[in-house]
């Protein structure tokens, strides 16, 4: 792409084209014979689907990662996950900082869009923090995982597994290699009682899901002694959803002998906590979600639709959007005109954006579910679950993904792509730029309710 053409592109367009380029490069590499254990080339559509899933940090897979891909293929996947999780513009900024190249105004605008920031002020400083915090957290988790697994594996394999899963879990990707040592598509089912691995995985998922802005805010709290409104809303909403999810899943699945019912008391508590966190956008499981009761599966769909928080690697409508919708509901019920959170009044533009994003997401999930219901021979709830998982870049699956038709693979891949970039970013990138209206129509009234 010519530099002159790049300068004419808007930040959302650069993000869309950049992610597309990364995915295409990943697909080509994964389709090489060296990327598979068998030495046979992976069909390009399957490679494209897998590259999309890795770059969009989703975790939906057509084949078992640990048994199908060679070390080269797994390396490609983890690089795609790291680039997709941090964002390709963040990685580009890292290269620029390493070579001491000044970051241009255009690049700052793209970084602002990628990090979902309201202004460019301090954007380069934030990027430095993002890179530092991410690598530090991943390194610490990799060390813990490596030490834990060194009791069961050769030191080299333990370190390799530690690094791979630390990156995958922190970026909320959900890819794992456990199929090579346990069973294909088994995720962490053999680690249901392992408190160390589960708790570290939960911490990684939460840290990766709350967003880098909140992490930076928390680490500087000892200096500032205050948190931003954004951080307060993200932390309170994430905490509330985790507690509610823990209680509901524990109640619904407590006596289900195909899931939590097969575990002892501590196992039930640990599984409930993990599965209340993993719909944030992670896709890590210790039980088969396809065997859960339908009430639990539908509740997971709701959690996946909400997703992670702004500025993170996760998808969904985001926790802040959900908080604004709940705030609007409470305000209307109480007869209040304003939505107030932590003694701050929210502007109407924030409320309209939250409603627009939610409606856009609902229409998208419903339309794709209806579309796949005509091409995929599976139950409606299974299809809805898979579509929501793709949109929320979660990676939880009820077993539909490996059985998708060619058309279904394309549709789910596009859904993952939209979920990672965000429906609004994609709409801005593909839509035409409109001039600001110079006049306003008179206000009208419509009866509601």
């Amino acid at each position: 792409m010519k530099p002159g053409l790049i300068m004419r592109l808007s930040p959302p367009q650069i993000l869309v084209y950049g992610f597309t380029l990364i995915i295409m490069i990943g697909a080509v590499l994964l389709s090489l014979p060296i990327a598979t254990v068998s030495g046979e080339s992976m069909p390009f559509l399957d490679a494209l689907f897998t590259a999309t899933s890795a770059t969009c940090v989703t975790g939906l897979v057509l084949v078992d990662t640990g048994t199908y891909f060679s070390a080269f293929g797994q390396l490609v996947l983890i690089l795609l996950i790291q680039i997709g999780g941090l964002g390709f513009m963040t990685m580009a900024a890292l290269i620029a900082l390493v070579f001491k190249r000044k970051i241009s105004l255009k690049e700052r605008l793209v970084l602002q869009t990628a990090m979902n920031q309201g202004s460019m002020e301090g954007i380069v400083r934030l990027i430095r923090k993002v890179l530092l915090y991410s690598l530090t957290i991943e390194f610490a988790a990799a060390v813990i995982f490596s030490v834990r697994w060194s009791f069961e594996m050769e030191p080299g394999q333990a370190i390799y597994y530690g690094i791979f899963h630390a990156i995958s879990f922190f970026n909320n990707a959900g890819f794992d290699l456990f199929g090579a040592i346990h069973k294909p598509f088994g995720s962490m089912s053999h680690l249901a009682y392992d408190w160390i691995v589960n708790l570290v995985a939960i911490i990684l998922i939460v840290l990766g899901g709350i967003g880098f802005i909140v992490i930076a805010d928390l680490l500087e709290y000892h200096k500032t002694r205050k948190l931003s409104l954004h951080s307060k809303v993200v932390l309170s909403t994430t905490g509330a959803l985790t507690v509610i999810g823990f209680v509901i899943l524990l109640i619904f699945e407590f006596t289900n002998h195909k899931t939590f019912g097969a575990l002892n008391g501590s196992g039930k508590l640990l599984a409930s906590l993990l599965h209340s966190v993993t719909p944030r956008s992670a896709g890590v499981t210790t039980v088969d979600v396809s065997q859960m009761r339908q009430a639990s599966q539908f509740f997971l769909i709701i959690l996946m639709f909400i997703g992670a928080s702004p500025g993170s690697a996760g998808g969904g409508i985001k926790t802040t959007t959900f908080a604004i919708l709940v705030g609007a509901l409470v305000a209307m019920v109480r007869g209040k005109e304003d939505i107030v959170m932590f003694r701050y009044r929210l502007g109407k533009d924030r409320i309209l954006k939250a409603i627009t994003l939610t409606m856009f997401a609902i229409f998208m999930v419903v339309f794709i579910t209806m579309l796949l219901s005509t091409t995929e021979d599976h139950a409606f709830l299974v299809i809805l679950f898979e579509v929501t998982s793709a949109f929320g870049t979660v990676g939880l699956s009820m077993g539909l993904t490996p059985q998708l038709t060619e058309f279904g693979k394309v549709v789910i891949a596009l859904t993952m792509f939209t979920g990672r970039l965000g429906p609004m970013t994609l709409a801005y990138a593909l839509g035409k730029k409109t001039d600001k209206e110079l006049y306003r129509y008179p206000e009208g009234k419509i009866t509601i309710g």
Side-chain angles (χ1 to χ4, degrees):
M1 191 176 293
K2 298 180 180 179
L5 178 59
I6 294 177
M7 292 303 295
R8 290 197 296 270
L9 296 175
S10 66
Q13 288 174 328
I14 293 176
L15 286 177
V16 170
Y17 294 144
F19 267 96
T20 302
L21 179 61
I22 297 298
I23 290 171
M24 294 306 297
I25 293 173
V28 171
L29 293 175
L30 290 177
S31 63
L32 297 175
I34 194 177
T36 65
V37 173
S38 65
E40 298 179 0
S41 298
M42 187 180 200
F44 186 76
L45 181 58
D46 292 358
L48 181 63
F49 182 98
T50 306
T52 303
S53 183
T55 308
C56 297
V57 288
T58 304
L60 290 176
V61 292
L62 301 169
V63 296
D64 180 70
T65 307
T67 56
Y68 185 86
F69 290 106
S70 64
F72 174 82
Q74 293 169 6
L75 178 62
V76 171
L77 286 174
I78 207 62
L79 287 175
L80 291 176
I81 291 170
Q82 187 73 86
I83 294 172
L86 294 180
F88 80 94
M89 276 306 300
T90 304
M91 300 302 293
L94 170 62
I95 296 173
L97 292 172
V98 169
F99 288 97
K100 297 182 179 180
R101 184 179 68 81
K102 188 175 181 181
I103 298 177
S104 67
L105 176 62
K106 184 73 173 183
E107 291 167 336
R108 290 170 189 262
L109 284 170
V110 179
L111 286 169
Q112 176 192 341
T113 304
M115 297 303 296
N116 204 11
Q117 292 292 286
S119 69
M120 288 188 297
E121 184 180 358
I123 191 67
V124 176
R125 186 167 61 252
L126 176 61
I127 294 302
R128 286 195 181 100
K129 291 179 181 179
V130 166
L131 294 169
L132 176 62
Y133 298 160
S134 300
L135 296 178
T136 302
I137 292 170
E138 290 174 352
F139 176 77
V143 170
I144 297 173
F145 280 151
S146 299
V147 172
R148 166 64 186 83
W149 287 325
S150 64
F151 294 98
E152 303 172 359
M153 309 174 185
E154 294 294 326
Q157 186 184 16
I159 294 172
Y160 177 65
Y161 269 54
I163 295 173
F164 186 98
H165 293 97
I167 295 175
S168 178
F169 293 172
F170 176 69
N171 288 287
N172 285 198
F175 281 81
D176 69 82
L177 305 177
F178 299 125
I181 59 175
H182 181 53
K183 66 177 182 179
F185 301 106
S187 191
M188 286 174 40
S189 57
H190 64 298
L191 299 170
Y193 294 105
D194 195 317
W195 281 85
I196 295 177
V197 174
N198 276 267
L199 289 179
V200 172
I202 289 169
I203 293 171
L204 287 174
I205 293 167
V206 171
L207 290 177
I210 61 177
F212 301 110
I213 307 165
V214 180
I215 295 176
D217 225 4
L218 289 172
L219 291 176
E220 293 181 0
Y221 181 76
H222 69 285
K223 296 180 182 178
T224 61
R225 291 297 172 185
K226 64 178 182 180
L227 295 174
S228 65
L229 175 62
H230 171 81
S231 295
K232 290 179 180 178
V233 172
V234 167
L235 292 173
S236 58
T237 307
T238 300
L241 289 173
T242 301
V243 172
I244 293 171
F246 172 83
V247 173
I248 290 180
L249 289 175
L250 185 62
I251 292 173
F252 286 170
E253 296 299 315
F254 194 86
T255 58
N256 185 352
H257 296 293
K258 296 180 180 179
T259 56
F260 296 178
L263 306 174
N264 61 23
S266 62
K268 287 183 175 68
L269 295 176
L270 193 57
S272 299
L273 181 59
L274 176 67
H275 290 83
S276 69
V277 169
T278 197
R280 283 285 78 74
S281 191
V284 181
T285 62
T286 52
V287 299
D288 187 355
V289 295
S290 67
Q291 298 299 320
M292 285 184 171
R293 293 189 169 105
Q294 289 190 344
S296 300
Q297 293 169 347
F298 188 72
F299 180 69
L300 289 179
I301 289 174
I302 296 173
L303 292 179
M304 292 191 296
F305 183 77
I306 296 171
S309 302
S312 71
I317 63 172
K318 303 296 192 293
T319 53
T320 49
T321 302
F322 177 70
I324 291 174
L325 295 177
V326 173
L329 175 63
V330 172
M332 287 296 294
V333 171
R334 296 175 62 185
K336 303 291 185 179
E337 185 176 346
D338 297 322
I339 299 176
V340 179
M341 293 182 179
F342 298 99
R343 297 184 179 181
Y344 283 94
R345 173 177 55 85
L346 298 185
K348 285 186 169 40
D349 62 321
R350 299 289 91 188
I351 301 169
L352 287 174
K353 186 174 181 180
I355 294 173
T356 302
L357 175 61
T358 304
M359 293 304 297
F360 197 116
I362 291 174
F363 288 146
M364 178 180 171
V365 170
V366 169
F367 174 76
I368 294 175
T369 302
M370 291 173 62
L371 183 64
L372 291 183
S373 294
T374 63
T375 63
E376 313 300 316
D377 187 20
H378 286 81
F380 179 81
L381 185 63
V382 174
I383 296 174
L384 176 61
F385 190 98
E386 219 81 2
V387 171
T388 310
S389 179
F391 170 75
T393 67
V394 179
L396 291 178
S397 175
M398 291 175 62
L400 172 60
T401 298
Q403 303 176 39
L404 286 171
T405 62
E406 303 292 288
F407 178 78
K409 293 174 186 177
V410 174
V411 172
I412 292 294
L414 290 174
T415 306
M416 291 188 290
F417 186 76
T418 304
R420 176 63 182 96
L421 288 172
M424 300 301 290
T425 300
L426 203 59
Y428 290 147
L430 300 178
K432 294 182 179 180
K433 186 177 180 181
T434 57
D435 296 327
K436 187 176 181 179
E437 293 182 353
L438 301 178
Y439 58 89
R440 298 176 70 186
Y441 290 100
E443 182 178 338
K445 295 185 181 296
I446 300 177
T447 303
I448 298 176

